[in-house]
Amino acid sequence: MQISYDLSLTTQGPLYPPSEVMDEDGNFIVIGALNRDADDGTVTTEWGRAIVRADSPVPSFGKRAPYTIVKEFGAEMPAAMGEKVLHTLPLPLPCTNYPMVFAPAQYPGANEEQRPSYAFHETPIPDARPEHGRQLGSPVRLKDWARAEGRLTVASALGGQAADFDFELSGLLPCSLYTIMTLREHDLNPEGPTRPGPLGIPNVLVTDQEGDARFHARLPNPFPEPGTPGANRVINVVVLWMSYQLSHGGAIGRYGLGGDIHAQLKLRAPSFQDFQTYA
């Protein structure tokens, strides 16, 4: 079996924090799911684009609350919106309810660190010196980010014991390090979340001067039959720009969720239901 999927532009991982990208004013730039008040007092969640305040209400993990939306914008974004310079989130991460440490063996105290928000091109890369030739030297604007496109092809392999994941990516930030992660069905389970992991090891790629790249990985048994003991199916994949230009082995990042990883492409909804693999 083989199925291809078009990836969607985003700035969002889970719903909290609302985005993994901020503007110069400390607001979230959200391209993804927006939480809103409904007429019946509940919260609705629909895909959209908006500027969201960093002091939006934060519910308990697994719950939703309406975002405090400053303004909304469409796919044909106004010129002024496209010129917004993109920033990392400060540490500790604002507006988050996610309990996970992303690299517990490497950085068990990562959630206790304090750092300001940095413009993407000014994120301090550890041990870097000017003579090393940092490739990203100018501001990254929202219009640059919005050029990204991607297509994923998934195919059964090894008689159903594995699956191949092949990505064709274009319009990413040029000459930059990216990570590709998997989201599994229990990663956001409020009763016991599992830690998101890489799609293969190594799970990194470097874009060319045009921002294009290809990536291939084979995962063992990524789609076990639902309900079987220990089953934790892959339900989504996320292409992440790495602001510190570091890879972390079996972890997708040090701080996660906009601190050092920044979702740029993903599938809008849980997918891969047609696949089943075996151990």
Side-chain angles (χ1 to χ4, degrees), residues 17-29:
S19 171
E20 296 178 354
V21 175
M22 277 187 156
D23 65 15
E24 62 275 12
D25 298 319
N27 296 313
F28 295 112
I29 303 176

Side-chain angles (χ1 to χ4, degrees), residues 223-248:
F223 309 118
E225 184 178 1
T228 57
N232 198 10
R233 291 174 60 94
V234 173
I235 59 173
N236 208 331
V237 296
V238 188
V239 179
L240 302 161
W241 181 69
M242 309 298 288
S243 51
Y244 287 82
Q245 297 296 277
L246 296 171
S247 62
H248 301 274

Side-chain angles (χ1 to χ4, degrees), residues 160-244:
Q161 295 182 9
D164 288 335
F165 296 76
D166 286 278
F167 293 79
E168 294 186 8
L169 306 166
S170 62
L172 301 177
L173 302 187
C175 303
S176 288
L177 185 73
Y178 278 80
T179 284
I180 299 184
M181 64 163 278
T182 59
L183 181 69
R184 294 179 181 262
E185 61 181 331
H186 297 311
D187 286 353
L188 299 177
N189 181 356
E191 297 182 1
T194 49
R195 180 166 60 91
L199 200 166
I201 295 178
N203 68 318
V204 296
L205 59 91
V206 176
T207 55
D208 65 17
Q209 292 179 331
E210 303 301 321
D212 298 342
R214 293 190 175 196
F215 180 81
H216 166 83
R218 173 173 288 178
L219 290 189
N221 193 22
F223 309 118
E225 184 178 1
T228 57
N232 198 10
R233 291 174 60 94
V234 173
I235 59 173
N236 208 331
V237 296
V238 188
V239 179
L240 302 161
W241 181 69
M242 309 298 288
S243 51
Y244 287 82

Side-chain angles (χ1 to χ4, degrees), residues 22-206:
M22 277 187 156
D23 65 15
E24 62 275 12
D25 298 319
N27 296 313
F28 295 112
I29 303 176
V30 183
I31 300 176
L34 297 174
N35 290 340
R36 312 172 190 268
D37 273 322
D39 294 337
D40 60 1
T42 61
V43 177
T44 63
T45 302
E46 297 179 343
W47 197 271
R49 300 183 178 205
I51 303 298
V52 170
R53 287 180 58 91
D55 58 358
S56 293
V58 183
S60 59
F61 181 61
K63 304 293 185 181
R64 295 176 299 157
Y67 294 159
T68 304
I69 296 175
V70 178
K71 68 170 66 173
E72 297 191 49
F73 59 98
E76 299 297 327
M77 68 181 70
M81 188 68 64
E83 293 297 324
K84 279 188 171 292
V85 176
L86 306 189
H87 291 65
T88 68
L89 274 58
L91 302 174
L93 297 173
C95 202
T96 184
N97 58 17
Y98 195 60
M100 192 63 61
V101 175
F102 282 84
Q106 301 172 66
Y107 313 112
N111 288 354
E112 301 169 5
E113 292 192 33
Q114 296 185 7
R115 292 186 176 225
S117 172
Y118 298 104
F120 277 4
H121 69 295
E122 295 176 338
T123 306
I125 297 174
D127 297 318
R129 299 194 300 268
E131 61 267 30
H132 293 160
R134 181 172 184 162
Q135 299 299 294
L136 184 64
S138 57
V140 177
R141 303 184 187 276
L142 184 56
K143 64 182 181 181
D144 305 321
W145 189 261
R147 295 192 183 107
E149 295 181 342
R151 188 164 178 81
L152 163 66
T153 299
V154 181
S156 298
L158 300 180
Q161 295 182 9
D164 288 335
F165 296 76
D166 286 278
F167 293 79
E168 294 186 8
L169 306 166
S170 62
L172 301 177
L173 302 187
C175 303
S176 288
L177 185 73
Y178 278 80
T179 284
I180 299 184
M181 64 163 278
T182 59
L183 181 69
R184 294 179 181 262
E185 61 181 331
H186 297 311
D187 286 353
L188 299 177
N189 181 356
E191 297 182 1
T194 49
R195 180 166 60 91
L199 200 166
I201 295 178
N203 68 318
V204 296
L205 59 91
V206 176

